[in-house]
Amino acid sequence: MCAMISALHHLKDSLSAEAGLHGPLVPLEQTNLFARKIMDLVDAQNPVHQIRSLDALQDYVDSSVLVPIDAQRTHAVFGEGNPHANIMLVGEAPGADEDRQGRPFVGRAGQLLDKMIAAIHLSRNEIFIANILKSRPPRNRDPKPDEIAAHLPVLYRQMSLIQPKFILCLGRIACQTLLGTSAPLGKLRGQAHPYHGSTLLATYHPAALLRNQNWKRPAWEDLKLLRQLYSAL
């Protein structure tokens, strides 16, 4: 017992000396510039600041009614994938298939998305996929401003915990929301946008590609740009 107490005192002294040289030890997340900048976008009183893991954040989403559509959903669609992913894909909101299964991008658009990421030699296991809204808007309408405002802090917390190096926005609403712009998607895609220490790219939503075949070629160019930047890490 004396030896254990002595060892603990030695460890405490060592940590104190380390703090004197380099400052106090802090969680890794707090040392990440991207994570700090992202959470600076969230009101200091928002409860997501106190959540320290993706599992706990998902529990919060599952049990919270932040806006009326949360009470109408079958399942919350939190997102899924690698919790340490270098690439995060962000859409606008779940659809009917996603609401039934509680998973993002599982309908026809999701099947196309799987083919798109496979074409650049990636898989769902390597990336993280989420939406701005965690609940399906009725009849798949566009998200309302108050719904985005209520759910966006959850997405920001996901980002701060995952700390992706690249964010690929799928569709106009996701891109305009994260970049804080009203510029059309056609002017936002095809380039890398600096994003709080990460890099954001934009492309067409897979559902839009199912409706308009002419957008598939530019979407492929966007994916190739993502692959090129990712390969250069």
Side-chain angles (χ1 to χ4, degrees):
M1 178 65 69
C2 291
M4 181 180 296
I5 294 174
S6 177
L8 289 173
H9 281 303
H10 178 71
L11 176 60
K12 180 180 178 181
D13 291 342
S14 297
L15 291 175
S16 296
E18 184 73 13
L21 290 172
H22 307 292
L25 297 177
V26 296
L28 178 61
E29 175 204 337
Q30 295 181 24
T31 70
N32 183 279
L33 180 62
F34 170 76
R36 295 202 309 271
K37 285 188 173 182
I38 283 294
M39 291 312 295
D40 283 346
L41 301 175
V42 180
D43 184 273
Q45 303 306 313
N46 195 295
V48 300
H49 279 283
Q50 307 306 317
I51 298 175
R52 302 300 181 192
S53 70
L54 287 175
D55 287 342
L57 186 61
Q58 183 165 6
D59 290 341
Y60 168 75
V61 170
D62 288 343
S63 60
S64 298
V65 176
L66 303 176
V67 282
I69 60 170
D70 295 339
Q72 302 165 9
R73 67 194 178 201
T74 304
H75 293 102
V77 183
F78 178 74
E80 65 181 26
N82 185 340
H84 308 292
N86 283 321
I87 298 175
M88 188 169 181
L89 272 55
V90 178
E92 62 184 66
D97 293 311
E98 290 75 20
D99 178 65
R100 280 192 293 269
Q101 299 186 41
R103 297 181 57 214
F105 289 91
V106 293
R108 289 182 63 222
Q111 294 169 13
L112 176 57
L113 180 62
D114 288 344
K115 294 178 181 178
M116 292 166 64
I117 60 177
I120 56 171
H121 310 293
L122 293 171
S123 70
R124 285 191 180 229
N125 293 331
E126 298 173 83
I127 63 178
F128 196 94
I129 306 176
N131 286 295
I132 294 174
L133 297 195
K134 310 307 182 188
S135 301
R136 179 199 179 198
R139 298 176 300 280
N140 293 344
R141 61 160 169 75
D142 287 350
K144 294 181 178 179
D146 65 312
E147 294 166 347
I148 291 176
H151 282 218
L152 194 54
V154 175
L155 178 65
Y156 286 151
R157 192 64 181 127
Q158 286 177 302
M159 289 180 174
S160 74
L161 291 167
I162 296 167
Q163 300 177 14
K165 292 181 172 60
F166 299 99
I167 298 164
L168 178 65
C169 290
L170 303 172
R172 170 183 59 85
I173 292 176
C175 187
Q176 289 179 339
T177 297
L178 293 189
L179 289 179
T181 180
S182 59
L185 181 59
K187 291 188 176 180
L188 297 172
R189 56 155 298 274
Q191 57 185 303
H193 302 269
Y195 189 73
H196 305 293
S198 183
T199 299
L200 185 148
L201 298 93
T203 194
Y204 296 98
H205 194 285
L209 298 179
L210 291 173
R211 297 191 299 267
N212 191 329
Q213 299 290 316
N214 293 330
W215 288 339
K216 286 191 173 182
R217 173 54 60 182
W220 172 236
E221 296 300 325
D222 297 331
L223 291 173
K224 287 196 298 182
L225 175 59
L226 173 62
R227 181 72 243 190
Q228 177 185 352
L229 295 172
Y230 179 57
S231 297
L233 283 179

